[in-house]
Amino acid sequence: MISKACQYGIRAAIFIASRRNDGIKLNVKQIACEVDAPEAFTAKILQELNKHRIITSLKGPYGGFFIEEFQLEQPVINIVNAIDGMSVFKECGLGLKQCSASHPCPMHDQYKIARDALQNAFQQTSIRHLALQVNEGSSFINNLVLKN
Amino acid sequence: MISKACQYGIRAAIFIASRRNDGIKLNVKQIACEVDAPEAFTAKILQELNKHRIITSLKGPYGGFFIEEFQLEQPVINIVNAIDGMSVFKECGLGLKQCSASHPCPMHDQYKIARDALQNAFQQTSIRHLALQVNEGSSFINNLVLKN
DNA sequence: TTTATAAAAGATGGTTTTATCTTTTATAAA
DNA sequence: TTTATAAAAGATAAAACCATCTTTTATAAA
């Protein structure tokens, strides 16, 4: 549905948001390790998220990545848009350029239900919302899934 | 959501079903041309669909591809399974191996709605059902979308 | 049985995505 | 101002996916 880069990006954003605390900054190494993603690849993804102002970065010593208060309210779809773009929410299930609401392919209506549900899942969920659900504990990735 | 190979495969199956008529057989060239897919790639995909008994092939002169009566009833998800596998309907939206119904990630419930809707779209639709919706006309691909 | 035909099978390229490595730039503390 | 640090930027590599080409196999008609 969404790319690995995008999944890493969402996990990274949740991690950064969940560790948000006064002026704390997290570096690529920590983030990549905690979200179980390759370090150099994570650096590229974080760079892209910073460009789109989904997270914020600061270079130099004591620098790193962090998320600002207003950025917490952003819907996760902003991350999807930054990395994969919005085409997954628009394209025909059979890959037909001719397909549209007025000229639907035979799968249009059924496929649209799934596509819209996916869009809603990412649109209705904010980064803050996700971060608040993370459990306490030493391993972020293991506490990203609920305990009970 | 699904691969290009899979989209080509579904389109090809619909085309073959829509042209089903006594003992008619269609060759790769015709099929690829009509469904607007690359010919050699289409050959590989049709080969795979034949292996999974989604369509039937016959080698040699007057040979080609066709679909049998019983094959028309198959749900489109069989094509997805043959080409992409079923993982898209099972995997976590954030790519977490740890995520499950009992240990859900923070997006689990919302994502599951979309994933299930996608599975339903392909499960509840048969090849016959799709073929019956195709319009009459010279260009299959243009008549795959409804006229009004 | 021979021949023509069309799919199957196998080998090979190209492109995109995933991933890594190196060099440059920004910044904060000493 | 110098130095150390961490992200940004750019170049490169590996893997997966998309696509093509060539050789082999099956089959139907002559």
Side-chain angles (χ1 to χ4, degrees), chain A residues 1-2 7-8 10-11 14 35-36 76 88 91-107 110-111 113-115 117-122 124-125 129-131 133-134 141-142 144-148, chain B residues 1-2 7-8 10-11 14 35-36 76 88 91-107 110-111 113-115 117-122 124-125 129-131 133-134 141-142 144-148:
Chain A
M1 307 265 241
I2 61 173
Q7 293 177 337
Y8 295 154
I10 297 171
R11 272 146 58 182
I14 301 173
V35 306
D36 191 30
V76 179
V88 70
E91 281 171 355
C92 169
L94 304 183
L96 301 172
K97 292 180 207 71
Q98 303 94 327
C99 175
S100 66
S102 58
H103 288 74
C105 79
M107 286 214 57
Q110 282 276 81
Y111 187 81
I113 292 171
R115 225 177 44 181
L118 189 71
Q119 180 159 4
N120 281 338
F122 292 122
Q124 293 171 359
T125 312
H129 178 86
L130 292 177
Q133 290 183 59
V134 178
I141 199 81
N142 288 328
L144 192 49
V145 294
L146 301 180
K147 284 225 172 84
N148 301 318
Chain B
M1 307 266 242
I2 61 174
Q7 294 178 337
Y8 294 154
I10 297 171
R11 271 147 56 182
I14 301 173
V35 307
D36 192 29
V76 179
V88 70
E91 282 171 353
C92 168
L94 304 183
L96 301 171
K97 292 182 208 68
Q98 302 94 327
C99 176
S100 66
S102 58
H103 288 73
C105 80
M107 285 214 59
Q110 283 276 80
Y111 187 80
I113 293 171
R115 225 178 44 183
L118 190 70
Q119 180 159 2
N120 282 338
F122 292 123
Q124 294 171 358
T125 310
H129 178 86
L130 292 179
Q133 289 183 59
V134 178
I141 199 82
N142 287 329
L144 192 50
V145 294
L146 301 179
K147 285 224 172 87
N148 303 316

Side-chain angles (χ1 to χ4, degrees), chain A residues 8-139:
Chain A
Y8 295 154
I10 297 171
R11 272 146 58 182
I14 301 173
F15 173 66
I16 296 166
S18 73
R19 290 292 170 92
R20 182 176 147 77
N21 188 1
D22 46 59
I24 198 176
K25 292 173 200 84
L26 301 157
N27 63 37
V28 173
K29 191 167 202 137
Q30 289 176 271
I31 297 168
C33 176
E34 294 273 14
V35 306
D36 191 30
E39 189 178 323
F41 195 34
T42 302
K44 287 292 181 199
I45 295 161
L46 293 172
Q47 201 175 317
E48 201 61 28
L49 294 183
N50 176 57
K51 274 181 194 161
H52 281 80
R53 305 205 179 285
I54 289 158
I55 58 175
T56 304
S57 73
L58 192 69
K59 287 185 184 179
Y62 300 84
F65 294 92
F66 58 101
I67 191 161
E68 298 179 73
E69 182 65 29
F70 78 95
Q71 293 176 316
L72 286 172
E73 300 311 322
Q74 291 182 103
V76 179
I77 204 170
N78 287 15
I79 301 175
V80 179
N81 178 51
I83 295 169
D84 286 354
M86 296 293 274
S87 56
V88 70
F89 307 118
K90 294 173 185 165
E91 281 171 355
C92 169
L94 304 183
L96 301 172
K97 292 180 207 71
Q98 303 94 327
C99 175
S100 66
S102 58
H103 288 74
C105 79
M107 286 214 57
H108 185 85
D109 292 353
Q110 282 276 81
Y111 187 81
K112 190 178 188 315
I113 292 171
R115 225 177 44 181
D116 288 353
L118 189 71
Q119 180 159 4
N120 281 338
F122 292 122
Q123 184 73 62
Q124 293 171 359
T125 312
S126 67
I127 295 171
R128 186 199 297 275
H129 178 86
L130 292 177
L132 285 173
Q133 290 183 59
V134 178
N135 293 292
E136 298 291 317
S138 56
S139 162

Side-chain angles (χ1 to χ4, degrees), chain B residues 28-135:
Chain B
V28 173
K29 192 167 203 140
Q30 288 174 271
I31 297 167
C33 177
E34 294 274 13
V35 307
D36 192 29
E39 189 178 324
F41 194 34
T42 302
K44 286 291 180 200
I45 294 161
L46 293 171
Q47 202 175 315
E48 201 62 29
L49 295 183
N50 176 57
K51 274 182 193 160
H52 281 78
R53 305 203 180 286
I54 289 158
I55 57 175
T56 304
S57 73
L58 192 69
K59 286 186 185 180
Y62 301 84
F65 295 91
F66 58 102
I67 191 161
E68 298 178 74
E69 183 65 27
F70 79 94
Q71 294 177 315
L72 285 172
E73 299 313 321
Q74 292 182 103
V76 179
I77 203 169
N78 287 15
I79 301 175
V80 178
N81 179 50
I83 295 168
D84 286 353
M86 297 293 275
S87 57
V88 70
F89 307 119
K90 293 173 186 164
E91 282 171 353
C92 168
L94 304 183
L96 301 171
K97 292 182 208 68
Q98 302 94 327
C99 176
S100 66
S102 58
H103 288 73
C105 80
M107 285 214 59
H108 185 85
D109 292 352
Q110 283 276 80
Y111 187 80
K112 189 177 189 314
I113 293 171
R115 225 178 44 183
D116 289 352
L118 190 70
Q119 180 159 2
N120 282 338
F122 292 123
Q123 184 73 63
Q124 294 171 358
T125 310
S126 67
I127 296 171
R128 186 199 297 276
H129 178 86
L130 292 179
L132 285 173
Q133 289 183 59
V134 178
N135 293 291

